[in-house]
Amino acid sequence: MSQSILSSSPYTHNNQSVRKVMLQVQIAALPALIAHIYLFGFGIAIQWMLAVATALVVEYVMLKLRGRPVLPFITDMSALITITGLVFCIPPEAPWWVIVTGSAFALIFGKHLYGGLGYNPFNPAMLGYAFLLISFPVQMTQWALPIEYTGEALNLLQSAQVIFTGQIPGLSMDMYTGATPLNEVRNGLSQGLSVQDTLNNSALSSLWGLSSWGWINVAFLLGGVWMIYSGVISWQYPIGFLGSLAAISLLFNQIDPTTYPPVDFVLLTGGTMLAAFFIITDPVTASTTPRGKLIYACGIGILVYVIRNWGAFPDGIAFAILLMNIAVPLIDQYTQPRVFGHNR
C-alpha cells in the first residue's frame, strides 16, 4: 500500500538544470556587456576572455586535486557566472594580472575549498572582488572614462595595450581614466562642494539624460526583468534590495539634499542593478525562504547605503553581500514557512 501511495503522489517536475539556469543568466547579461563595450571600449571583452581562461585552468586543477571528475563539473557553467560577475566589477583597463588573480581567488577560496558548488557560504564573485579591493586599491580605482568624457572609446588594440603593457604609445592615459560618479560625489563632498554642485559640474549625462554608468544599469535592469519573467530568479531579491535602497536614499536626501544624492543617482550608479538581479540572487549563498529573501535583500540595500555614505569604499556592494551571507542561516531558521497540514 505504501508503494502505491508513493507512486501516486503529485510530484512537481522541473526541467531546469544548473547548466540551463547559468546559461539563462549569461544571456541576460549580454545587453549590459554590449552596452559596456560601446560606452567604455573593448577592455571588458579582453578581461572576460582572460577570466574564462583562468577559470578553465583553476576548475581543472581543483577538480583533480579534490579527486572529482572533470566532466561534467567543468561544464556546469557555474564558474562562468562567477567570473562574469567579477569582470563587470573591475576597471575594464585594469592590468591583466588583476582579473587572473581575482578569478583564481574567487573560485579557489570562494567555491572549491568549501566543497564545490552548493556548499560555499559566501558569494564567490564578491569574495574575489573584495579581495581585489583590499589587495590592489590603486589598480581597482583606475577606471576607464566613458565616451561622454573622452569623445571615443578605446578600440580593441588600444585596450589590449593598456591591459598588458600599461600604456598606449603616443597617448596619455590620464585622458582615458578617472573617477566614477560615486567617487566624484565623495571627492566633491570632501572639498566642501554640495552633491548638486558636483553633479552639475560633471559630465554625468550623455544620452537622453543618462550617464554611461546609468545606461549600464538600465541594461542590467532589462536582463533582470527578463529573468524574473522567465522564472530564473525570485522577485523578492530585486524588490527588497532596490526598495530598501530607494527608501533610505529618499529619506536622507529629504533630510539633507546637499550631502546625500537623489534616488535616481543612487539606483543608476555603481553596481546597483548588477547586484540586484545577478549577484544577490545566487541560490547557494542567498536566503531561500519567501520572507527570508526579502529580509536578506533589504539588509543588503541598507548596508550598501551605509557603506557608500559613511564607509571607506565608494560602492559597498561586495561587503554588504558578504556580511548578509553570514546572516543567511539565521534568517532561514526564523522564516521557515508553515508546513501544510501542521500548525505553527
Side-chain angles (χ1 to χ4, degrees), residues 108-137:
I108 295 172
F109 293 92
K111 176 183 174 183
H112 285 286
L113 290 189
Y114 286 103
L117 181 65
Y119 297 95
N120 50 296
F122 299 104
N123 185 287
M126 293 299 96
L127 197 65
Y129 180 48
F131 166 74
L132 291 177
L133 277 177
I134 296 171
S135 303
F136 313 113

Side-chain angles (χ1 to χ4, degrees), residues 16-338:
Q16 293 280 41
S17 65
V18 172
R19 185 183 305 173
K20 183 176 179 179
V21 171
M22 298 299 176
L23 180 60
Q24 289 173 311
V25 175
Q26 194 72 22
I27 292 173
L30 280 178
L33 178 63
I34 295 171
H36 205 292
I37 292 174
Y38 174 75
L39 296 169
F40 291 89
F42 284 88
I44 191 172
I46 299 174
Q47 301 285 2
W48 186 82
M49 289 186 286
L50 287 170
V52 169
T54 303
L56 290 174
V57 173
V58 171
E59 287 283 289
Y60 179 85
V61 172
M62 292 305 298
L63 287 170
K64 285 293 186 180
L65 290 176
R66 292 173 51 212
R68 307 287 289 177
V70 175
L71 294 176
F73 294 108
I74 202 170
T75 59
D76 63 8
M77 298 188 71
S78 62
L80 183 63
I81 295 302
T82 295
I83 59 99
T84 298
L86 180 61
V87 162
F88 277 109
C89 294
I90 71 168
E93 266 72 45
W96 64 270
W97 48 265
V98 170
I99 188 61
V100 171
T101 304
S103 299
F105 187 91
L107 293 172
I108 295 172
F109 293 92
K111 176 183 174 183
H112 285 286
L113 290 189
Y114 286 103
L117 181 65
Y119 297 95
N120 50 296
F122 299 104
N123 185 287
M126 293 299 96
L127 197 65
Y129 180 48
F131 166 74
L132 291 177
L133 277 177
I134 296 171
S135 303
F136 313 113
V138 175
Q139 289 78 10
M140 291 295 290
T141 55
Q142 297 297 316
W143 278 85
L145 294 173
I147 56 175
E148 64 255 35
Y149 285 86
T150 61
E152 60 179 357
L154 296 178
N155 59 40
L156 183 62
L157 178 60
Q158 291 172 327
S159 294
Q161 288 176 321
V162 175
I163 292 171
F164 291 103
T165 69
Q167 58 184 349
I168 303 175
L171 289 179
S172 172
M173 286 310 301
D174 292 337
M175 299 172 53
Y176 290 92
T177 58
T180 64
L182 290 173
N183 262 321
E184 282 193 46
V185 169
R186 176 169 290 209
N187 293 337
L189 289 172
S190 67
Q191 297 169 9
L193 299 175
S194 68
V195 169
Q196 294 95 326
D197 291 337
T198 303
L199 297 181
N200 292 335
N201 294 333
S202 61
L204 290 179
S205 62
S206 57
L207 181 61
W208 296 334
L210 278 182
S211 68
S212 291
W213 289 278
W215 282 112
I216 297 297
N217 275 279
V218 169
F220 279 123
L221 172 63
L222 294 176
V225 170
W226 176 78
M227 285 195 294
I228 293 177
Y229 176 78
S230 303
V232 178
I233 62 175
S234 300
W235 61 267
Q236 289 97 330
Y237 295 120
I239 293 298
F241 173 69
L242 297 176
S244 62
L245 186 58
I248 192 172
S249 62
L250 177 62
L251 173 64
F252 278 94
N253 178 254
Q254 292 296 316
I255 294 174
D256 186 2
T258 64
T259 303
Y260 301 104
V263 175
D264 58 340
F265 177 84
V266 173
L267 296 181
L268 294 177
T269 53
T272 304
M273 296 298 171
L274 169 65
F277 296 99
F278 293 85
I279 304 297
I280 72 172
T281 54
D282 176 25
V284 177
T285 59
S287 181
T288 56
T289 64
R291 283 190 300 148
K293 293 175 182 179
L294 279 173
I295 296 172
Y296 170 77
C298 289
I300 295 175
I302 294 171
L303 286 174
V304 164
Y305 192 83
V306 169
I307 297 172
R308 280 184 178 182
N309 288 278
W310 302 290
F313 298 93
D315 197 351
I317 285 176
F319 300 102
I321 292 173
L322 294 175
L323 288 171
M324 288 305 296
N325 285 161
I326 300 174
V328 163
L330 187 65
I331 294 173
D332 283 349
Q333 179 181 347
Y334 287 100
T335 58
Q336 289 294 325
R338 181 177 64 84

